[in-house]
Amino acid sequence: VNANLLSAYCDNLSLGRDIDTAETTTFGLTDKTHIAGLLSGSLSLSGNYDPTTTTGPAAVLEGCLTGAVAVTCIYYPGGNVTGQRSHTFSGIVTNYSETSTVSDKVTFSSTILVTGAVTTATI
């Protein structure tokens, strides 16, 4: 995210892609009809909170929130090794949260909204 490697802190990543649809049903039909629209997507990430580093999730993701601009993101679902895929896109960090519980570790979560195309490549 924004040229910062966050994999050492993450334990859950999910890139979701959706397509908008518009209903085109007309009078007299008994089944709905639709047309496809534009793609959208978001990356959800979560993991271990680390306040001690300037390159950890708190510094990186909160820093992206204050700028409110799109940043470059690269997601490696199978790891950054030969033969795996990468997904590169511009994204806007739309939220960042930290969670503390009595009996567990402190965690973070964040959502990055995809803006524009997602480029998929084989490493």
Side-chain angles (χ1 to χ4, degrees):
V1 175
N2 203 22
N4 294 279
L5 185 61
L6 296 179
S7 60
Y9 308 99
C10 294
D11 59 17
N12 191 349
L13 293 165
S14 175
L15 177 63
R17 300 283 282 154
D18 298 301
I19 191 163
D20 293 334
T21 58
E23 186 178 336
T24 57
T25 309
T26 58
F27 293 114
L29 294 178
T30 57
D31 295 305
K32 288 185 178 184
T33 59
H34 299 86
I35 57 172
L38 300 173
L39 281 170
S40 64
S42 64
L43 177 70
S44 299
L45 57 155
S46 61
N48 302 315
Y49 170 74
D50 186 347
T52 62
T53 179
T54 59
T55 59
V60 171
L61 297 168
E62 283 186 324
C64 291
L65 276 172
T66 59
V69 296
V71 295
T72 299
C73 301
I74 304 173
Y75 170 49
Y76 301 99
N80 186 8
V81 295
T82 302
Q84 294 295 327
R85 295 185 316 154
S86 67
H87 305 288
T88 304
F89 60 91
S90 290
I92 300 168
V93 177
T94 59
N95 71 0
Y96 173 80
S97 62
E98 298 165 351
T99 304
S100 301
T101 62
V102 171
S103 62
D104 205 355
K105 63 185 178 180
V106 178
T107 61
F108 80 92
S109 63
S110 185
T111 303
I112 302 173
L113 182 65
V114 173
T115 178
V118 174
T119 303
T120 302
T122 301
I123 302 170

